[in-house]
Amino acid sequence: MRQRWRMLSDKWVLAALFGTLVKWLVLGGGVGILAGTASAFFLKALDAVTDLRMEHTWLLFFLPLGGALVSFMYMKYGQNSAKGNNLILEQIHDGKETIPLRMAPLVLFGTIITHLFGGSAGREGTAVQMGGSLAEWLGKLLKVNPIDRKILLICGISSGFGSIFGTPLAGTIFGLEVLAIGLISHEALIPAFIASFVGHVVTSSVWGVSHIHYSMGEVPAISAMVLFKVVAASIVFGLVSILFSELTHALKKIYSRLFNNPMIKSAVGGFIIIGLVYLLGTRDYLGLGIPLIQDSFAGEVTPFAFLGKLVFTALTLGAGYQGGEVTPLFAIGATLGHSLAGILQLYAPFLAGLGFIAVFCGATNTPIACFLMGIELFGADAAIYLFIACIVSYLFSGHTGIYTSQLIGVSKSQRLTIPEGSTLASAKEWRKQRRKAGKAKEQA
């Protein structure tokens, strides 16, 4: 009797597990189809408007008007959509708000306008927000429970990321890892993979959208000197990621303090970008920065190209233009790696590849996802170096990042005390208060 009961119990367990797999094949696959289709349309539209801007250089003069229009749309119809990626993270962390379906068309329209007129921005933010809002819509349609809703939102992040860059493995882990520094929940591992993989297949195979890949070329043999140089470069990558994150956040505050009206804020930001283009005499820092990345791997870039792209992107996003940070971070990292190669006497495409993923890693605090992205984009020959670059940049970026609602699950150092449940934003404020208290104590 006992043996029969055990057999029935085992069958029930297997049935439950199989049922879970089938459920997430349907739900995760559904999110992947929606996000993959949205990403395909977005990528094709992005290519079209980029070609248009390159052909008609006078479109740059409409950047202030385009920024004002997008800000008006968000003021009039956006509701809480202006929070962007942070809104999705907050809802996964027990947030009580709703992610509106209108977020998808708004961020799509805003990003297309930004790139049409020459703003320096990326595409990951758009893909993640479209994936998150479509996942929320699907969850409402199917009336999923609160736990499944959170997993669906993670699927939205993973499918958006995996489909926009053609990296389904990195997309899977990014959706899990970006939630909290130092913590990964495996509860959503299978759903996130299904969504990311399906999204990638739909974008690339069903809709025929191709992704750009780069070659690191010859990978140096492992030696103490090469390892030392890679670690040194990775520390710089981490520090530059701090500069990007902090400058972007600071400019958002400065713009908002100076201009209460978001439309005026974006218009002024557009005029600043135009002024810088003519002051520097180059348009290299507009748009995604793909030519800068390509030159880093197969050509030459100016020594401070990374700084130019960093400043242009921070000014653009700080003024409220839509897009993302990741592709500009790729450009910043690749050009920085290329510039450091001459100083460190390393092969330029090799160090450009490490910078490509390491600066992005430092800004997002997602070392495992970035390592997998390196493998998917560059192959496994440089796996050791890719891993070192990610973990060192992750460490030296500290508790900063582009996503202010990212939780700090585990401090990066036992010497750095962070209040439990802190986000990057609240931890920064806590550190400010501590410094003020310390100064007041010294003066007393």
Side-chain angles (χ1 to χ4, degrees):
M1 186 70 177
R2 186 177 298 172
Q3 186 176 2
R4 184 180 177 186
W5 170 253
R6 188 181 296 114
M7 290 176 63
L8 289 173
S9 178
D10 290 343
K11 288 180 181 178
W12 181 84
V13 170
L14 288 173
L17 295 175
F18 183 75
T20 299
L21 177 61
V22 171
K23 179 177 82 171
W24 287 112
L25 280 170
V26 174
L27 293 180
V31 172
I33 291 170
L34 293 172
T37 300
S39 290
F41 177 81
F42 171 51
L43 288 171
K44 289 183 177 182
L46 196 56
D47 285 342
V49 298
T50 299
D51 290 342
L52 198 61
R53 173 174 57 81
M54 298 291 284
E55 184 179 351
H56 303 289
T57 56
W58 50 264
L59 285 171
L60 175 64
F61 295 105
F62 287 90
L63 181 61
L65 181 62
L69 173 62
V70 172
S71 291
F72 171 77
M73 296 289 287
Y74 270 84
M75 284 173 55
K76 184 98 175 147
Y77 307 107
Q79 296 179 346
N80 56 355
S81 299
K83 289 184 177 181
N85 291 345
N86 286 309
L87 176 63
I88 300 173
L89 295 182
E90 288 169 7
Q91 299 321 296
I92 297 173
H93 298 317
D94 293 319
K96 305 302 179 186
E97 297 181 72
T98 296
I99 300 172
L101 181 60
R102 68 186 67 190
M103 174 184 270
L106 274 174
V107 72
L108 175 63
F109 173 75
T111 305
I112 293 299
I113 291 295
T114 296
H115 284 279
L116 174 63
F117 297 128
S120 176
R123 51 192 175 178
E124 148 274 340
T126 306
V128 167
Q129 290 174 53
M130 289 193 300
S133 61
L134 291 169
E136 177 88 317
W137 172 79
L138 182 63
K140 284 183 180 179
L141 184 68
L142 300 177
K143 298 180 180 179
V144 300
N145 61 49
I147 295 176
D148 285 349
R149 180 207 179 209
K150 292 180 183 181
I151 296 177
L152 268 181
L153 292 179
I154 293 172
C155 289
I157 295 174
S158 293
S159 58
F161 191 96
S163 61
I164 208 72
F165 294 120
T167 54
L169 297 182
T172 300
I173 303 302
F174 183 82
L176 305 173
E177 200 175 16
V178 74
L179 305 178
I181 294 174
L183 297 177
I184 296 180
S185 172
H186 289 84
E187 182 182 24
L189 181 60
I190 291 177
F193 172 71
I194 293 170
S196 183
F197 180 72
V198 171
H200 165 64
V201 170
V202 167
T203 300
S204 59
S205 299
V206 176
W207 296 110
V209 176
S210 59
H211 299 279
I212 302 174
H213 290 267
Y214 310 95
S215 174
M216 295 177 71
E218 184 180 350
V219 177
I222 295 177
S223 67
M225 183 55 68
V226 172
L227 289 173
F228 172 78
K229 291 177 179 180
V230 167
V231 169
S234 301
I235 292 173
V236 177
F237 296 147
L239 296 178
V240 168
S241 75
I242 294 178
L243 177 60
F244 176 82
S245 299
E246 293 302 294
L247 181 60
T248 303
H249 297 323
L251 285 172
K252 286 181 179 179
K253 291 180 180 178
I254 292 171
Y255 275 124
S256 298
R257 193 180 303 125
L258 294 176
F259 309 103
N260 291 327
N261 188 315
M263 295 171 60
I264 297 176
K265 176 180 71 174
S266 296
V268 170
F271 283 118
I272 291 173
I273 294 295
I274 294 172
L276 278 177
V277 166
Y278 283 91
L279 179 65
L280 298 177
T282 179
R283 294 173 180 248
D284 290 349
Y285 308 123
L286 301 180
L288 289 169
I290 297 295
L292 286 173
I293 299 174
Q294 292 172 328
D295 288 343
S296 298
F297 286 96
E300 293 295 328
V301 293
T302 58
F304 292 100
F306 76 93
L307 191 57
K309 186 60 179 173
L310 188 153
V311 171
F312 269 74
T313 306
L315 285 168
T316 300
L317 298 177
Y321 287 84
Q322 296 300 310
E325 302 90 346
V326 172
T327 305
L329 284 168
F330 292 160
I332 293 166
T335 51
L336 176 58
H338 188 282
S339 298
L340 290 175
I343 299 172
L344 297 174
Q345 295 298 296
L346 288 172
Y347 185 50
F350 165 70
L351 206 53
L354 297 187
F356 183 100
I357 61 165
V359 173
F360 165 49
C361 172
T364 58
N365 296 296
T366 54
I368 308 303
C370 292
F371 169 65
L372 288 174
M373 171 173 268
I375 297 294
E376 289 180 294
L377 293 178
F378 304 120
D381 290 346
I384 295 295
Y385 296 121
L386 291 168
F387 192 72
I388 291 172
C390 287
I391 59 176
V392 172
S393 177
Y394 166 77
L395 176 63
F396 279 86
S397 67
H399 297 113
T400 65
I402 56 178
Y403 306 126
T404 55
S405 294
Q406 189 176 42
L407 284 176
I408 302 175
V410 178
S411 175
K412 293 186 182 181
S413 171
Q414 294 181 358
R415 295 175 178 270
L416 300 175
T417 304
I418 303 293
E420 188 176 348
S422 294
T423 62
L424 293 183
S426 64
K428 184 177 180 180
E429 190 60 33
W430 178 76
R431 288 194 298 270
K432 281 185 180 178
Q433 296 300 326
R434 283 195 65 182
R435 283 195 295 268
K436 286 181 179 179
K439 288 180 180 179
K441 190 175 181 180
E442 287 176 6
Q443 292 173 355

